[in-house]
Structures are given as structure tokens and as C-alpha cells.
Amino acid sequence: MSRELMQENIVKAQQEIDAKKEIVKNGKMRQHYHFMAQTGWMNDPNGLIYYKGKYHFFFQYNPYYGFWDCMHWGHAVSDDMLHWEYLPLALAPSETYDNHLRGGCFSGSAIEHDGKLFLMFTGTANNGNGFEQTQCIAYSEDGIHFEKYEGNPVLTAPEGVPSDFFRDPKVWKHGDTYYMVCGASRSNRAQALLYRSKDMLHWELFNVLAESRGEWGYMWECPDFYPIGDKYVLMFSPMGAGERTVVYLVGDFDYETGKFDYHVNGEIDWGFDYYAPQSFEAPDGRRIIVGWANAWDWMPFWKDWGPTYQEGWCGSYNIPREVRLMEDYTLQFVPIREIETIRTDAWQKENMVIKQEKAIVKAGDGVSFECKLTVDLEQTDAEQLKVVLRCGNGQQTVCTFDFTKSIMSVNRNHADGWSKGVSESTLYLRNKKELDVHILSDQSSVEIFTNQYRNNHSLNIYAGSAQNQTYLCSCGGQTVLKKIETYGLKECNR
């Protein structure tokens, strides 16, 4: 009966999607090359995997309307992580452990096991004892149609961990054993709990992989753990850590004890709209991460949720990024090379001098474009370089590189009449001869990478298509660009 109920709920949701998708896809704020759902609300990436010759993206999904509610798992496949085919929903609430209005099938991950595609997800229910989060299994023979395991839930919160702070399992295999890291909170201290299993169904708590002493908040959402080079990376989205929304730790891991010893930490992104990234391995060995291009703090549950909600949708994903380990054990987060396949209208110029007057930059249609520039720091005597994006109708987004104070900032207070905030980070300039900048703009987002892709800002801006001008200007001197190149980016989503 429960199997039939999930299928009924999937059919019901699909009818809602089919009834609205043609109207929603014409929304003025819809992205052109970033991943989105067809309708409704979308948040965390789930179950990212390359399986049977396709990239699979699963995602937290409310197909009914453009704000968060009872969670389903959406599903889409791609050959290049840019052009997508939407498949039937993978999971819908249907059981006592996941069938609640403010619960559902929360975040999780995917892995191939015994020739099947397994999903591990957090079921969230409320049976009168507050929110209860448990870890559950679903599986599929064809990678499209899923069945929940009859023995669910396979894990409940361990002693000392509140049942509403036990979620987001990320699973992997090492040798002949499966491992899983799960976010938790114990005594108001964030933890990443490490479990292991021989069969994906029966799990034992192995150790506390790592924990916060207060510096990284009271709860780690969407933890992920993976090898890179000769090191391991733990990344998570901390709750209660101020402006930090995505932290990574690099160190050494011992499979004998299940303990992680980290000695490097950093931010994946300093912008307002990058959260809950999940990683997976591409068939060529690249470690790819995908983040949700939103965050919870700007989303009040009691008033207007912004321009996309009015169009019947909310949420997209940032461009997938390749994770690379540097010699000093910090990490780079480089936009996937597949973006080069949708480039058009190339323009470039070398040895360009930027003064106080506006230097107009041609970049595709000025809405969906890519811009890469290299600043010659030895020849530059300006105090600041301003990169002004999506200008028009008296509105603009301003990225400032302050060479005297070593600060990078992105100001969206005048971007669209709705968005607010200035994101800020340290600009690493010591002993550097040049500064690299890489910008990806889409209909309702900008992503700016610098310092060799180690200092990144992702922000949503809801700018109309008439806001299509880009220019550069210097303050307090002149900026010398060794090279600037721009491209238009073709639409992938319609």
C-alpha cells in the first residue's frame, strides 16, 4: 500500500508540474544556463552522481508553489551538466517517517550498489513529539523509478542528539565497506557523525568524524567528505556561524579510527547565495560540487518571497565547480570546462588601461555572459577597480576590488529594487604580480571568481533584460589589464 501511495503522490505532483510548466518557463527571471526545476520551489542538491552514462541531479523540491513546503525529490539527467532532461520525481512523502506537511523527504545522496541506484535520505515527520529526522533508503533498478526500503528508517538519532538535528546523509564506498557522514548537533555543538555498513541497510556509528568547538556553529547541514590528492575534505553549511555559509576543512583521515585531523580551513563562497553544496566524481576523475543558489536568511516565511516566487518558482543551482587542491592545501573552485561549449560572440582586448571614465565592455547580450580579465598589479596605481554589471534603468551591481585595503566587495543594494546587501572578503594581493577575475552572469545571478578561484562571490540579482550594460572604471589612478575576454552564453533551458 505504501508503494502505491508514493506513486499516487508522484503522479499528483507531475500533474501539477505539467499544468504549470509552460507558463513558468516564460518567467522573466528564469535562468538561461543554470539548472532550475520546471515549477515550484527548489533547494539543496541531492544524490548527485554519474550513473549509466548520464549525470543525475536530484533536488529538494516542492512542485506545487514557489516556497518551501513538504519536500519531494526532483530528478533530471544530462550529458554535460548544462542541458537537462527532466525525469519523473524520484521520491514523494508517503510514510509515517516522512509524510508531514513541514517535513517530507529531506536531503541525502546516491550511490551504486549491487547494480542498483540507491538513495539515502532524511525522512522528516512530526508525530506529536516534535520533528523527528531519521535516515532512510530507496533504490531503483533503472535509475528512474524508486522504491522505499521496507525496513526504513535504517537509522535514528543517537543518544544525546536531538531528533530534529540529525540529517543530510552523504554516502560513499571505500574498499568493501560503505561509509556515511551525517550532520548533527550535540550539546549545542555541531558534529559530523561517521557511520559504516557492509550492505547499505545495516549501519553502525563509527566515530565523530569532526566537530565544532563553537567556531563553526551549532549545526552542520549537508556535510560532505571526499578525498582529493593525498588529503581529505570535509565541507558543510554551518548554522550559527555568522556570515559563513559554506566552509571547507582540509586534512588527513584515518580509516582505522574514523577520525579526521584538519589543518586548513576556508570559505567556498563569500556571496549571499551559495549553500549546501554536494560533491560527486565525474567519469574523468574530476571532483565536482554543486551548490544551491540561495540561502535561508533572506527568506522570511511571512511575507513576499521575491520576484521569482511571483512567477511560480524559486531556486536554481550555481554553475557546477571543479575542486582542485593547491600546493598550500587550500582549494580552488573552478567553473566546469563544459561552459566553453556554449560560448558565442567572443571579444577580447589586450593591454587595456582603465581610468576614471567608464570603459564600456561588450559581453554577449549583457545578461547571459562570461567575462575574464587579468589585472597587471605591477603597472596598476589605482586605489580601486570597479566592475559594474547589469546596468540600466538606474540600477546596477557593483563589484569593487580595493587594492589599498585588500578587500573585494559586491554591492547589490541598487541591483533590482528588491535585493539587499554587500558581500565582502579579503583580497589576497601580497607578492602577487597579477589578479585574475572570472565572471559568470545569468538572468538572475552573478558569480565572481578571483584569486585563482579561491575567493568567490555568488549573488542573486533580479535584474530585467534591459539591464544589459557592463563597464569598468578606476578610482585614484589607473588600472592596467593584461587581457580581457568576454563571451555570450547560449541558452540551455528552453
Side-chain angles (χ1 to χ4, degrees):
M1 178 62 187
S2 60
R3 184 187 309 176
E4 294 175 358
L5 180 57
M6 185 171 85
Q7 189 56 40
E8 288 175 10
N9 289 341
I10 287 174
V11 170
K12 178 183 175 183
Q14 190 62 51
Q15 290 173 343
E16 188 80 7
I17 295 167
D18 292 341
K20 295 177 177 178
K21 65 184 181 182
E22 291 302 315
I23 297 173
V24 171
K25 79 174 184 179
N26 293 315
K28 294 180 179 179
M29 292 297 119
R30 293 284 282 179
Q31 298 277 59
H32 295 171
Y33 60 91
H34 286 80
F35 180 78
M36 304 171 293
Q38 291 172 291
T39 64
W41 164 276
M42 181 181 81
N43 59 290
D44 303 354
N46 294 160
L48 308 186
I49 192 171
Y50 188 81
Y51 178 74
K52 291 188 175 179
K54 296 280 187 181
Y55 292 101
H56 289 248
F57 278 17
F58 299 87
F59 49 95
Q60 287 287 276
Y61 190 32
N62 172 20
Y64 293 97
Y65 26 77
F67 57 89
W68 181 88
D69 212 325
C70 195
M71 284 291 102
H72 300 60
W73 274 38
H75 188 193
V77 294
S78 174
D79 294 320
D80 61 2
M81 292 180 278
L82 294 170
H83 300 84
W84 292 93
E85 174 190 355
Y86 295 96
L87 297 179
L89 274 66
L91 299 175
S94 62
E95 313 302 318
T96 56
Y97 54 79
D98 68 13
N99 192 6
H100 185 265
L101 182 62
R102 294 298 180 188
C105 304
F106 276 17
S107 294
S109 52
I111 194 169
E112 187 172 354
H113 170 61
D114 284 347
K116 302 182 182 69
L117 184 58
F118 272 63
L119 306 180
M120 194 170 193
F121 66 97
T122 297
T124 300
N126 191 326
N127 299 304
N129 300 313
F131 288 106
E132 299 174 39
Q133 295 172 349
T134 57
Q135 312 318 317
C136 306
I137 295 289
Y139 49 86
S140 170
E141 298 277 357
D142 60 6
I144 299 174
H145 304 93
F146 289 85
E147 179 179 340
K148 293 175 184 173
Y149 173 51
E150 290 184 358
N152 280 338
V154 296
L155 275 174
T156 58
E159 185 177 354
V161 173
S163 64
D164 56 343
F165 285 101
F166 179 60
R167 56 182 175 268
D168 309 335
K170 177 65 193 296
V171 64
W172 74 96
K173 189 176 185 181
H174 179 77
D176 62 354
T177 302
Y178 294 92
Y179 294 85
M180 182 269 286
V181 61
C182 189
S185 180
R186 190 193 303 265
S187 301
N188 212 34
R189 177 181 292 176
Q191 294 184 325
L193 301 180
L194 181 64
Y195 289 81
R196 59 186 177 182
S197 171
K198 290 294 185 181
D199 62 2
M200 278 292 297
L201 300 175
H202 301 89
W203 293 87
E204 64 173 357
L205 180 61
F206 187 14
N207 206 343
V208 177
L209 181 71
E211 62 185 332
S212 171
R213 301 292 179 177
E215 75 278 33
W216 303 121
Y218 63 85
M219 173 68 187
W220 290 345
E221 293 200 298
C222 301
D224 200 337
F225 193 64
Y226 51 88
I228 189 162
D230 62 348
K231 297 295 178 181
Y232 272 80
V233 175
L234 175 64
M235 64 182 191
F236 50 84
S237 288
M239 300 175 70
E243 294 183 4
R244 292 184 169 90
T245 60
V246 276
V247 169
Y248 72 82
L249 311 175
V250 180
D252 300 300
F253 177 60
D254 183 355
Y255 271 106
E256 294 298 317
T257 63
K259 202 68 176 179
F260 177 56
D261 177 26
Y262 63 89
H263 38 265
V264 173
N265 66 75
E267 307 287 331
I268 298 175
D269 199 291
W270 288 93
F272 296 121
D273 298 298
Y274 195 91
Y275 197 82
Q278 184 172 111
S279 83
F280 70 100
E281 187 176 356
D284 56 10
R286 288 177 295 169
R287 175 62 57 169
I288 306 295
I289 65 170
V290 180
W292 175 41
N294 266 329
W296 292 110
D297 51 2
W298 67 267
M299 296 180 181
F301 283 79
W302 58 89
K303 60 180 181 180
D304 180 16
W305 283 47
T308 68
Y309 164 66
Q310 297 167 12
E311 296 179 354
W313 68 284
C314 188
S316 63
Y317 287 163
N318 302 92
I319 204 71
R321 305 175 185 181
E322 179 185 352
V323 184
R324 298 177 184 171
L325 184 68
M326 300 290 280
E327 289 185 0
D328 63 358
Y329 297 117
T330 60
L331 299 179
Q332 290 179 299
F333 303 95
V334 184
I336 53 169
R337 59 174 177 260
E338 284 83 349
I339 200 77
E340 297 174 10
T341 66
I342 60 170
R343 286 175 173 172
T344 185
D345 300 327
W347 177 88
Q348 71 175 47
K349 189 173 182 177
E350 296 183 356
N351 300 317
M352 186 175 180
V353 179
I354 309 299
K355 301 181 180 180
Q356 186 173 350
E357 299 78 21
K358 294 179 181 179
I360 304 298
V361 173
K362 172 180 166 51
D365 64 1
V367 175
S368 298
F369 67 86
E370 181 179 13
C371 177
K372 302 178 76 173
L373 56 92
T374 304
V375 178
D376 187 334
L377 293 174
E378 294 181 311
Q379 300 298 316
T380 293
D381 61 11
E383 295 176 0
Q384 296 179 342
L385 170 66
K386 292 185 181 291
V387 181
V388 187
L389 307 165
R390 302 299 303 278
C391 306
N393 299 328
Q395 296 174 324
Q396 60 187 19
T397 297
V398 183
C399 179
T400 302
F401 300 95
D402 191 316
F403 304 122
T404 61
K405 297 181 179 178
S406 291
I407 293 173
M408 173 186 174
S409 63
V410 185
N411 186 331
R412 65 177 184 183
N413 282 325
H414 305 287
D416 52 28
W418 193 82
S419 299
K420 297 294 181 186
V422 180
S423 62
E424 189 174 279
S425 63
T426 298
L427 193 61
Y428 308 109
L429 299 175
R430 186 168 180 241
N431 299 326
K432 293 190 178 296
K433 295 181 179 180
E434 60 184 41
L435 176 69
D436 56 293
V437 180
H438 189 174
I439 300 168
L440 293 173
S441 171
D442 205 342
Q443 183 69 60
S444 55
S445 68
V446 293
E447 293 161 277
I448 304 170
F449 306 84
T450 190
N451 286 130
Q452 296 182 287
Y453 300 95
R454 289 181 285 182
N455 189 7
N456 313 311
H457 290 238
S458 298
L459 298 94
N460 292 338
I461 56 170
Y462 302 104
S465 296
Q467 293 178 231
N468 60 358
Q469 298 297 309
T470 302
Y471 72 84
L472 310 177
C473 65
S474 293
C475 302
Q478 64 183 26
T479 304
V480 178
L481 303 184
K482 289 185 176 180
K483 183 178 181 181
I484 180 171
E485 56 183 309
T486 69
Y487 307 89
L489 295 175
K490 298 176 185 176
E491 185 150 353
C492 302
N493 294 332
R494 293 183 185 176

